[in-house]
Amino acid sequence: MKTGSSTTSNIMLRYGMKNKLTLARNTDFRDKHCINFTGIDYSASHMQLNKSAISNVIPNAKYFTIIRSPYTHLRSAFYYFKFSTMLDNSTFRQFVEHLEIYDNFTHLHHQHRNGQIWFLDPRFDMNQRDNDTYILQAIKELDQELDLIMLMEYYDESLLLLKKLLCWEFDDLVYHQVKTRKPKDTMVPEMESSIRKWSNADFLLYEYFNRTFWEKVKNYDGDFEKDLNEFRVRQQNVSNQCASSDARKYNSFCWRLVVDTHLIRGVAIQQQKTWMYTIRKERKEKCSSI
Protein backbone atom coordinates (compact mmCIF):
# COMPACT_ATOMS: atom_id res chain seq x y z
CA MET A 1 0.00 0.00 0.00
CA LYS A 2 1.08 3.60 -0.76
CA THR A 3 3.66 2.55 -3.35
CA GLY A 4 1.78 3.40 -6.55
CA SER A 5 -0.17 0.15 -6.25
CA SER A 6 -3.57 1.73 -6.99
CA THR A 7 -2.33 3.19 -10.26
CA THR A 8 -0.81 -0.18 -11.16
CA SER A 9 -3.99 -2.05 -10.21
CA ASN A 10 -6.01 0.25 -12.46
CA ILE A 11 -3.77 -0.65 -15.41
CA MET A 12 -4.29 -4.36 -14.72
CA LEU A 13 -8.05 -4.02 -14.21
CA ARG A 14 -8.43 -2.05 -17.42
CA TYR A 15 -6.51 -4.71 -19.36
CA GLY A 16 -8.55 -7.49 -17.76
CA MET A 17 -11.86 -5.84 -18.64
CA LYS A 18 -10.77 -5.13 -22.20
CA ASN A 19 -9.82 -8.77 -22.73
CA LYS A 20 -12.67 -10.28 -20.70
CA LEU A 21 -10.36 -11.88 -18.15
CA THR A 22 -11.57 -13.13 -14.79
CA LEU A 23 -10.37 -11.20 -11.73
CA ALA A 24 -9.59 -13.03 -8.51
CA ARG A 25 -10.85 -11.82 -5.17
CA ASN A 26 -8.79 -12.38 -2.03
CA THR A 27 -11.30 -14.99 -0.84
CA ASP A 28 -10.42 -17.13 -3.87
CA PHE A 29 -7.01 -17.89 -2.31
CA ARG A 30 -8.20 -18.93 1.11
CA ASP A 31 -7.61 -22.55 2.05
CA LYS A 32 -7.91 -23.93 -1.47
CA HIS A 33 -6.06 -26.63 -3.34
CA CYS A 34 -6.88 -26.90 -7.05
CA ILE A 35 -5.84 -29.26 -9.83
CA ASN A 36 -5.78 -27.92 -13.41
CA PHE A 37 -8.03 -24.99 -12.49
CA THR A 38 -8.41 -22.44 -15.29
CA GLY A 39 -11.27 -20.26 -14.08
CA ILE A 40 -9.30 -17.22 -12.84
CA ASP A 41 -6.84 -15.23 -14.91
CA TYR A 42 -5.29 -12.59 -12.66
CA SER A 43 -5.21 -10.81 -9.31
CA ALA A 44 -4.71 -7.10 -8.64
CA SER A 45 -5.01 -6.62 -4.90
CA HIS A 46 -3.23 -5.51 -1.75
CA MET A 47 -2.22 -8.89 -0.39
CA GLN A 48 0.68 -10.71 1.17
CA LEU A 49 2.54 -12.89 -1.28
CA ASN A 50 1.65 -16.55 -0.79
CA LYS A 51 2.88 -18.15 -3.97
CA SER A 52 1.69 -21.68 -3.19
CA ALA A 53 -1.88 -20.45 -2.53
CA ILE A 54 -1.90 -18.26 -5.64
CA SER A 55 -0.46 -20.93 -7.93
CA ASN A 56 -3.27 -23.27 -6.87
CA VAL A 57 -5.80 -20.83 -8.32
CA ILE A 58 -3.75 -19.13 -11.08
CA PRO A 59 -1.21 -21.68 -12.35
CA ASN A 60 1.80 -20.51 -14.39
CA ALA A 61 1.26 -16.89 -13.38
CA LYS A 62 3.73 -14.04 -13.75
CA TYR A 63 4.45 -12.35 -10.42
CA PHE A 64 5.19 -8.64 -10.16
CA THR A 65 4.75 -5.91 -7.61
CA ILE A 66 5.87 -2.36 -6.85
CA ILE A 67 7.94 -0.90 -4.02
CA ARG A 68 8.98 2.58 -2.95
CA SER A 69 11.71 4.39 -1.04
CA PRO A 70 10.93 3.92 2.68
CA TYR A 71 11.43 7.66 3.24
CA THR A 72 8.58 8.78 1.01
CA HIS A 73 6.55 5.65 1.72
CA LEU A 74 6.20 6.50 5.41
CA ARG A 75 5.51 10.16 4.68
CA SER A 76 2.78 9.23 2.20
CA ALA A 77 1.13 6.93 4.75
CA PHE A 78 1.31 9.61 7.47
CA TYR A 79 -0.72 12.06 5.41
CA TYR A 80 -3.00 9.63 3.60
CA PHE A 81 -4.18 7.89 6.76
CA LYS A 82 -4.30 11.21 8.66
CA PHE A 83 -1.98 10.01 11.41
CA SER A 84 -1.66 13.59 12.67
CA THR A 85 -5.29 13.83 13.76
CA MET A 86 -4.91 10.61 15.73
CA LEU A 87 -1.65 11.67 17.35
CA ASP A 88 -2.60 14.98 18.99
CA ASN A 89 -1.89 16.88 15.76
CA SER A 90 1.75 15.83 15.68
CA THR A 91 3.74 16.92 12.67
CA PHE A 92 5.42 14.36 10.44
CA ARG A 93 8.78 15.36 11.89
CA GLN A 94 7.54 14.83 15.45
CA PHE A 95 6.14 11.45 14.40
CA VAL A 96 9.46 10.39 12.86
CA GLU A 97 11.42 11.52 15.91
CA HIS A 98 9.46 9.03 18.07
CA LEU A 99 8.91 6.10 15.70
CA GLU A 100 9.85 3.51 18.31
CA ILE A 101 6.69 4.19 20.33
CA TYR A 102 4.42 3.89 17.29
CA ASP A 103 5.07 0.28 16.25
CA ASN A 104 1.61 -0.96 17.23
CA PHE A 105 -0.10 2.15 15.90
CA THR A 106 1.36 1.85 12.41
CA HIS A 107 0.60 -1.87 12.34
CA LEU A 108 -3.10 -1.13 12.87
CA HIS A 109 -3.07 1.05 9.77
CA HIS A 110 -1.28 -1.52 7.58
CA GLN A 111 1.89 0.60 7.53
CA HIS A 112 4.08 -1.78 9.44
CA ARG A 113 7.66 -1.28 10.43
CA ASN A 114 9.45 -2.95 7.50
CA GLY A 115 5.98 -3.19 6.00
CA GLN A 116 7.04 -3.61 2.37
CA ILE A 117 9.01 -6.77 3.06
CA TRP A 118 6.15 -7.91 5.33
CA PHE A 119 3.75 -7.77 2.37
CA LEU A 120 6.19 -9.59 0.10
CA ASP A 121 7.28 -12.30 2.50
CA PRO A 122 4.91 -13.47 5.25
CA ARG A 123 7.62 -15.98 6.24
CA PHE A 124 9.94 -13.13 7.24
CA ASP A 125 10.88 -13.30 10.93
CA MET A 126 10.54 -9.78 12.30
CA ASN A 127 12.74 -10.77 15.23
CA GLN A 128 15.55 -10.82 12.67
CA ARG A 129 14.82 -7.33 11.33
CA ASP A 130 18.26 -6.05 12.35
CA ASN A 131 20.13 -9.10 11.07
CA ASP A 132 21.40 -7.98 7.67
CA THR A 133 22.61 -11.48 6.70
CA TYR A 134 19.16 -12.96 7.34
CA ILE A 135 17.43 -10.06 5.54
CA LEU A 136 19.58 -10.31 2.42
CA GLN A 137 19.01 -14.05 2.20
CA ALA A 138 15.25 -13.51 2.40
CA ILE A 139 15.49 -10.84 -0.30
CA LYS A 140 17.46 -13.15 -2.61
CA GLU A 141 14.77 -15.81 -2.19
CA LEU A 142 12.14 -13.22 -3.15
CA ASP A 143 14.18 -12.35 -6.22
CA GLN A 144 13.85 -15.97 -7.33
CA GLU A 145 10.08 -15.98 -6.79
CA LEU A 146 9.14 -12.70 -8.47
CA ASP A 147 9.42 -11.89 -12.17
CA LEU A 148 9.56 -8.11 -11.75
CA ILE A 149 9.83 -5.58 -8.95
CA MET A 150 8.71 -2.16 -10.17
CA LEU A 151 9.96 1.06 -8.56
CA MET A 152 7.54 3.91 -7.94
CA GLU A 153 10.28 6.49 -8.43
CA TYR A 154 10.88 5.16 -11.94
CA TYR A 155 7.33 4.33 -12.88
CA ASP A 156 7.50 4.79 -16.66
CA GLU A 157 10.70 2.79 -16.82
CA SER A 158 9.03 0.08 -14.74
CA LEU A 159 6.10 -0.08 -17.14
CA LEU A 160 8.43 -0.68 -20.07
CA LEU A 161 9.85 -3.70 -18.26
CA LEU A 162 6.31 -4.84 -17.50
CA LYS A 163 5.38 -4.44 -21.18
CA LYS A 164 8.19 -6.82 -22.15
CA LEU A 165 7.28 -9.29 -19.41
CA LEU A 166 3.61 -9.49 -20.42
CA CYS A 167 3.90 -8.79 -24.18
CA TRP A 168 1.50 -5.83 -23.91
CA GLU A 169 1.08 -2.69 -26.03
CA PHE A 170 1.68 0.95 -25.07
CA ASP A 171 -2.06 1.63 -24.88
CA ASP A 172 -2.36 -1.12 -22.25
CA LEU A 173 0.08 0.76 -20.03
CA VAL A 174 -1.06 4.38 -20.17
CA TYR A 175 -2.18 5.58 -16.75
CA HIS A 176 -3.63 8.33 -14.63
CA GLN A 177 -2.06 8.73 -11.21
CA VAL A 178 -4.45 7.66 -8.45
CA LYS A 179 -4.44 8.97 -4.86
CA THR A 180 -1.35 11.14 -5.28
CA ARG A 181 -0.39 14.04 -3.03
CA LYS A 182 2.38 16.60 -3.19
CA PRO A 183 4.90 16.45 -0.30
CA LYS A 184 4.01 18.83 2.52
CA ASP A 185 7.41 19.01 4.13
CA THR A 186 11.12 18.56 3.57
CA MET A 187 12.98 15.45 4.70
CA VAL A 188 16.09 16.39 6.69
CA PRO A 189 19.05 14.06 7.43
CA GLU A 190 17.98 13.45 11.04
CA MET A 191 14.56 12.24 9.84
CA GLU A 192 16.11 9.99 7.21
CA SER A 193 18.40 8.46 9.83
CA SER A 194 15.45 7.72 12.14
CA ILE A 195 13.40 6.10 9.36
CA ARG A 196 16.38 4.08 8.17
CA LYS A 197 16.97 2.67 11.65
CA TRP A 198 13.26 1.93 12.13
CA SER A 199 12.75 0.15 8.79
CA ASN A 200 16.16 -1.36 8.05
CA ALA A 201 14.82 -4.41 6.20
CA ASP A 202 12.77 -2.26 3.83
CA PHE A 203 15.86 -0.21 3.00
CA LEU A 204 17.87 -3.31 2.17
CA LEU A 205 14.92 -4.54 0.10
CA TYR A 206 14.73 -1.29 -1.84
CA GLU A 207 18.47 -1.02 -2.38
CA TYR A 208 18.70 -4.60 -3.65
CA PHE A 209 15.86 -4.27 -6.16
CA ASN A 210 16.94 -0.80 -7.20
CA ARG A 211 20.20 -2.41 -8.29
CA THR A 212 18.62 -5.37 -10.08
CA PHE A 213 16.07 -3.03 -11.70
CA TRP A 214 18.79 -1.16 -13.57
CA GLU A 215 20.39 -4.45 -14.55
CA LYS A 216 17.10 -5.34 -16.24
CA VAL A 217 17.05 -1.96 -17.98
CA LYS A 218 20.63 -2.56 -19.17
CA ASN A 219 19.64 -5.95 -20.59
CA TYR A 220 16.40 -4.64 -22.16
CA ASP A 221 15.56 -6.27 -25.47
CA GLY A 222 15.41 -3.22 -27.72
CA ASP A 223 16.17 0.51 -27.60
CA PHE A 224 15.07 1.43 -24.08
CA GLU A 225 15.33 5.22 -24.44
CA LYS A 226 13.48 5.20 -27.76
CA ASP A 227 10.67 3.08 -26.33
CA LEU A 228 10.53 5.23 -23.19
CA ASN A 229 10.16 8.42 -25.22
CA GLU A 230 7.54 6.81 -27.45
CA PHE A 231 5.56 5.69 -24.41
CA ARG A 232 5.68 9.12 -22.81
CA VAL A 233 4.41 10.76 -26.00
CA ARG A 234 1.54 8.27 -26.07
CA GLN A 235 0.92 8.88 -22.37
CA GLN A 236 0.66 12.64 -22.93
CA ASN A 237 -1.63 12.22 -25.93
CA VAL A 238 -4.01 10.02 -23.96
CA SER A 239 -3.95 12.42 -20.99
CA ASN A 240 -4.91 15.27 -23.30
CA GLN A 241 -7.62 13.14 -24.90
CA CYS A 242 -9.14 12.29 -21.53
CA ALA A 243 -8.75 15.74 -19.98
CA SER A 244 -12.25 16.78 -20.99
CA SER A 245 -15.10 15.58 -18.80
CA ASP A 246 -17.03 14.89 -22.01
CA ALA A 247 -14.58 12.08 -22.77
CA ARG A 248 -15.26 10.35 -19.46
CA LYS A 249 -18.53 8.64 -20.23
CA TYR A 250 -19.26 5.86 -17.72
CA ASN A 251 -17.19 2.72 -18.43
CA SER A 252 -15.47 4.32 -21.44
CA PHE A 253 -11.71 4.10 -21.97
CA CYS A 254 -11.18 7.50 -20.34
CA TRP A 255 -13.48 6.67 -17.43
CA ARG A 256 -11.53 3.50 -16.77
CA LEU A 257 -8.31 5.47 -16.98
CA VAL A 258 -9.10 8.13 -14.39
CA VAL A 259 -11.57 6.49 -12.00
CA ASP A 260 -10.60 5.41 -8.48
CA THR A 261 -9.56 1.79 -8.04
CA HIS A 262 -12.54 0.57 -6.01
CA LEU A 263 -14.94 1.80 -8.72
CA ILE A 264 -13.24 0.10 -11.65
CA ARG A 265 -12.82 -3.06 -9.57
CA GLY A 266 -16.56 -3.08 -8.92
CA VAL A 267 -17.28 -2.78 -12.64
CA ALA A 268 -14.81 -5.59 -13.40
CA ILE A 269 -16.53 -7.88 -10.88
CA GLN A 270 -19.95 -6.95 -12.27
CA GLN A 271 -18.80 -7.64 -15.83
CA GLN A 272 -17.71 -11.17 -15.07
CA LYS A 273 -20.92 -12.14 -13.28
CA THR A 274 -22.24 -13.37 -16.62
CA TRP A 275 -19.72 -16.23 -16.63
CA MET A 276 -19.31 -16.79 -12.88
CA TYR A 277 -21.59 -19.86 -12.98
CA THR A 278 -19.03 -21.66 -15.13
CA ILE A 279 -16.20 -20.66 -12.78
CA ARG A 280 -18.09 -21.84 -9.69
CA LYS A 281 -18.83 -25.16 -11.38
CA GLU A 282 -15.17 -25.69 -12.27
CA ARG A 283 -14.06 -24.67 -8.78
CA LYS A 284 -16.43 -27.22 -7.27
CA GLU A 285 -15.01 -29.93 -9.52
CA LYS A 286 -11.31 -29.10 -9.30
CA CYS A 287 -10.76 -27.34 -5.94
CA SER A 288 -11.07 -28.51 -2.38
CA SER A 289 -10.64 -26.91 1.01
CA ILE A 290 -7.35 -27.69 2.70
Side-chain angles (χ1 to χ4, degrees), residues 2 10-11 31 35 37 68 70 77-78 82 90 140 151 159 162 166 224 227 238 261 271 277-278 280 290:
K2 307 312 299 170
N10 279 26
I11 292 172
D31 301 322
I35 300 175
F37 185 59
R68 179 180 187 175
F78 180 86
K82 297 181 174 60
S90 298
K140 289 176 182 178
L151 303 179
L159 290 179
L162 183 65
L166 300 179
F224 189 84
D227 286 355
V238 170
T261 310
Q271 174 183 288
Y277 171 78
T278 303
R280 292 191 187 99
I290 296 174

Side-chain angles (χ1 to χ4, degrees), residues 24 40 54 58 79 100-101 142 153-154 158 184 187 212 222 242 269 277 287-288:
I40 293 173
I54 297 171
I58 313 177
Y79 288 111
E100 294 293 336
I101 68 174
L142 277 173
E153 290 78 6
Y154 301 99
S158 295
K184 296 183 179 181
M187 194 81 67
T212 59
C242 294
I269 295 293
Y277 171 78
C287 303
S288 59

